[in-house]
Amino acid sequence: MRTGDGAKTLEVVRDVASLRAKVREWRRQDETVGLIPTMGALHDGHLALVKAALDSCDHAVTTIFVNPTQFAPNEDFEAYPRDEADDLSKLQALSADVAFVPPVEEMYADGFSTSVAVSGLTEGLCGATRPHFFGGVATVVSKLLLQALPDKAFFGEKDYQQLQVVTRMARDLDIPVEIVGVPTVREADGLAMSSRNWYLSPEERAAAPALYKVLCDIAAKLSAGQTSAAAIAEGRTVLEAAGFGPIDYIEVCDASSLEPLETADRPARVLAAAHLGRTRLIDNVAVG
Ligand code: PAF
C-alpha cells in the first residue's frame, strides 16, 4: 500500500490466506515478489537482504518467525532475541511491503507430521553438532516458499551451509524460485552480524572478531599453497588463545558440494563454528 508521498506502508500479515491474497493481487498486475525469511531481531545483515529484494523485485515480503523445529531442546529457542515492534519499524523505514509474522499454530497445525530432509550437504559442518537443525530449516523454508510463491528468495552467505541446503532443496523439489545469496554484512572490526551477537559480554565482543581474522588467515595460506590441515591447526591455536572453545569445526570445503578439501584446487570456502562463552558463532570466507 502506498501513502500520498509514494512511500509504502508496511502491512503486517499473520495468516497464510491473507499472505496468499496479497501475493495474488500483485501477480494479477504482473509484479514480482522477493521473499526474505528471517527469525526477526533484524540487523543490518537482514536489511541488506531486504534491500537486495527491493532492488530486483517489485515487492518484498519479510517473514519473521522463530522456528521451533530448528532448535534442539537444550538450545536457545526461549532466549532467542525477539522485538517485533523494532523489526517492523526497520522494515517500514526501508519501504518493505509485507511482514509475514505467523504464530506457531499457523505454521505447525495440530498433528503436523511432515519434514523435509536434504541428505549429504547437511551431514557435516553444522549438521554434525546440530543434527536437528537443517531438517527444521528445510521444512520451514519449503513451507514459506510454498505459502508466498515468490520469484526470488534471499539468504545471507553468513549461513553458507544453509544457503547451499536451501538452494539444493528448491532445485530437488522443483520449487519455482531463484535462491539468491547475499554477501555477509560485518561490523567495522570484521565480526559477522548475527542476532546471536546480542548474547556476547563486552569482553567476548572484543574477542569475537578473531574468528573472521583466523578464517581470512587460513584462506590466505591456502591461496599461498599451504594444505588445509596445517592452516587449520594454526587457526585453531589462535582461536583457543583468544578464548574460543569448544570449537565445533574449522574446515576447508568445496564451495558448492561442501566436500572437505586438502588443497584449494577449485572454488573453496573456509567455514567455522566456535563457542565464545555461551554464544556459538559461525562464519565463513571464500578462498581466493
Ligand atoms: O537464517 C535464519 O534466520 C533461519 O534459519 C531461517 C532461514 C529464517 C529459517 O528459519
Side-chain angles (χ1 to χ4, degrees):
M1 188 192 300
R2 282 182 194 276
T3 57
D5 60 3
K8 290 182 200 160
T9 302
L10 180 75
E11 281 182 57
V12 182
V13 166
R14 298 189 191 273
D15 64 282
V16 176
S18 306
L19 175 66
R20 290 206 165 118
K22 195 76 226 158
V23 172
R24 241 189 340 263
E25 195 183 304
W26 293 331
R27 291 255 172 259
R28 263 201 297 271
Q29 297 163 51
D30 262 348
E31 293 171 342
T32 54
V33 183
L35 185 79
I36 308 99
T38 83
M39 297 206 296
L42 300 183
H43 51 65
D44 285 353
H46 296 114
L47 302 185
L49 304 180
V50 179
K51 287 180 196 156
L54 287 167
D55 281 349
S56 68
C57 301
D58 297 310
H59 301 281
V61 175
T62 307
T63 73
I64 299 175
F65 180 64
V66 185
N67 173 35
T69 65
Q70 67 190 74
F71 292 80
N74 62 334
E75 291 185 342
D76 57 342
F77 175 70
E78 295 299 339
Y80 197 84
R82 291 164 172 86
D83 189 342
E84 187 182 307
D86 186 60
D87 290 345
L88 297 182
S89 77
K90 287 174 175 160
L91 293 174
Q92 173 61 66
L94 288 183
S95 284
D97 300 78
V98 164
F100 177 51
V101 194
V104 173
E105 318 79 74
E106 183 70 8
M107 294 299 283
Y108 297 111
D110 251 4
F112 187 91
S113 50
T114 300
S115 64
V116 177
V118 179
S119 58
L121 273 179
T122 57
E123 279 146 32
L125 304 170
C126 286
T129 43
R130 303 186 72 197
H132 56 282
F133 176 68
F134 288 113
V137 169
T139 302
V140 81
V141 171
S142 55
K143 282 176 66 72
L144 292 168
L145 292 174
L146 294 170
Q147 289 162 351
L149 293 175
D151 297 275
K152 300 184 183 187
F154 296 80
F155 294 85
E157 284 184 354
K158 192 206 127 226
D159 299 290
Y160 192 81
Q161 187 177 14
Q162 169 174 278
L163 172 62
Q164 302 310 312
V165 168
V166 166
T167 304
R168 180 73 59 85
M169 182 266 297
R171 187 202 74 177
D172 288 354
L173 297 183
D174 300 310
I175 301 178
V177 65
E178 180 187 342
I179 303 294
V180 182
V182 177
T184 304
V185 178
R186 298 183 180 280
E187 304 285 357
D189 58 10
L191 177 65
M193 289 198 184
S194 163
S195 306
R196 289 191 167 99
N197 293 351
W198 288 98
Y199 301 152
L200 296 169
S201 69
E203 297 71 29
E204 289 162 355
R205 174 64 191 81
L211 182 59
Y212 176 57
K213 190 171 175 317
V214 160
L215 293 179
C216 292
D217 287 348
I218 294 174
K221 286 173 183 165
L222 282 152
S223 295
Q226 197 168 327
T227 61
S228 307
I232 290 170
E234 287 165 14
R236 188 172 271 278
T237 307
V238 174
L239 272 191
E240 282 165 355
F244 282 80
I247 297 171
D248 285 350
Y249 62 83
I250 309 176
E251 284 192 39
V252 178
C253 295
D254 178 286
S256 41
S257 71
L258 301 183
E259 296 288 337
L261 295 179
E262 190 43 35
T263 56
D265 55 1
R266 66 196 89 157
R269 207 94 195 171
V270 192
L271 307 100
H275 297 256
L276 189 55
R278 70 183 180 115
T279 311
R280 181 178 183 274
L281 297 177
I282 63 170
D283 203 350
N284 68 91
V285 300
V287 179

